[in-house]
Amino acid sequence: MTHLPPDRILTEEGMSAPARGAGRVLLIACGALAREILALIRLNDWDHMTLVCLPANLHLYPHRIADAVEQTVHKHSNDFERIFVAYADCGTGGLLRARCDALGVEMIQGPHCYSFYEGNEAFSQHDDEITAFYLTDFLVRQFDAFVWTPMGLDRHPELRDMIFGNYTKLVYQAQTDDSALRTKAEDCARRLGLDYEYRFTGYGELATTLDEVAVPTTADQDLLS
């Protein structure tokens, strides 16, 4: 069973893939999705799937994501029969989709994880939430590392109203029913001066997409026969 590194490691370093031959399908994902993807792999007994994660803090520099994904694809292309990129667009402005198309690998649909967790169609209906600030389980746990410290709020709390003055609420999209995370998310909303909304999403389209990826393709079946 793959060992899950601490959130700090997933944020700053990511997670390496096990040795060659550990599975037929490689999933390249953001470190912020590691816990959820590994839970789905265990739940569904997808022992033919292997996970490698890039550092979650690449989201602070989205222009670097496409290059990092391409490097990981090239690194592992000879070790796996299929590679799937478990990233949405994630602020790359379409660059990641274009890069994946050029590499001949598939990726998850949606603009970001908030959308595919809730369901892309359902999320697209939230025209009234342009002033909402979203957190997931991972981002609640890593709120200081992803929000408070990078934005300088730990050193200059007076910046809060300048940065978040146009936001009206914090929406916590929960993947798990965890009372401790709910309490922390409420505190995050308080610290940002925003209203709070709890929205249980579960794994959303991350689960249904990986379920489709887990099914062997015709080429895979031919290789196994």
Side-chain angles (χ1 to χ4, degrees):
M1 181 180 296
T2 301
H3 174 68
L4 179 68
D7 283 341
R8 181 187 64 79
I9 300 299
L10 291 171
T11 296
E12 299 174 3
E13 302 175 23
M15 185 177 78
S16 299
R20 180 175 179 175
R24 300 191 307 275
V25 178
L26 179 68
L27 304 175
I28 300 175
C30 170
L33 303 180
R35 185 183 300 263
E36 289 72 24
I37 292 177
L38 288 178
L40 288 167
I41 288 174
R42 289 192 295 268
L43 179 66
N44 294 282
D45 294 323
W46 292 332
D47 56 4
H48 63 299
M49 302 178 81
T50 297
L51 176 64
V52 60
C53 289
L54 302 179
N57 63 9
L58 278 177
H59 283 285
L60 300 175
Y61 317 95
H63 62 285
R64 300 179 183 176
I65 293 176
D67 286 344
V69 167
E70 180 175 6
Q71 291 169 7
T72 307
V73 169
H74 287 318
K75 178 179 179 180
H76 296 287
S77 60
N78 293 326
D79 298 338
F80 295 88
E81 296 162 12
R82 184 181 182 189
I83 294 177
F84 182 83
V85 176
Y87 266 92
D89 180 73
C90 298
T92 70
L95 292 178
L96 182 57
R97 167 66 64 184
R99 193 71 58 87
C100 286
D101 288 346
L103 292 167
V105 297
E106 300 172 86
M107 62 178 281
I108 199 166
Q109 299 292 323
H112 38 62
C113 63
Y114 314 121
S115 181
F116 66 65
Y117 271 141
E118 187 161 340
N120 287 313
E121 183 175 353
F123 190 87
S124 68
Q125 303 304 312
H126 292 314
D127 293 337
D128 59 335
E129 291 195 353
I130 192 170
T131 58
F133 185 73
Y134 294 90
L135 294 180
T136 62
D137 282 8
F138 181 87
L139 291 175
V140 170
R141 293 193 302 268
Q142 289 288 289
F143 179 77
D144 285 332
F146 265 85
V147 180
W148 204 253
T149 300
M151 293 184 177
L153 297 174
D154 58 329
R155 304 176 300 280
H156 302 285
E158 70 276 7
L159 293 175
R160 185 194 71 174
D161 292 342
M162 180 185 303
I163 297 172
F164 290 94
N166 291 322
Y167 288 93
T168 58
K169 65 179 178 180
L170 182 150
V171 177
Y172 169 31
Q173 294 181 325
Q175 285 69 68
T176 57
D177 186 7
D178 187 316
S179 60
L181 287 180
R182 291 179 72 162
T183 298
K184 185 171 182 180
E186 290 179 18
D187 182 62
C188 292
R190 179 192 59 77
R191 291 166 67 184
L192 294 178
L194 302 176
D195 292 337
Y196 172 74
E197 180 179 334
Y198 174 80
R199 190 177 297 167
F200 182 78
T201 65
Y203 300 138
E205 291 181 12
L206 177 64
T208 56
T209 298
L210 293 186
D211 188 54
E212 294 173 357
V213 173
V215 177
T217 64
T218 302
D220 293 334
Q221 294 171 338
D222 290 342
L223 286 171
L224 293 172
S225 61

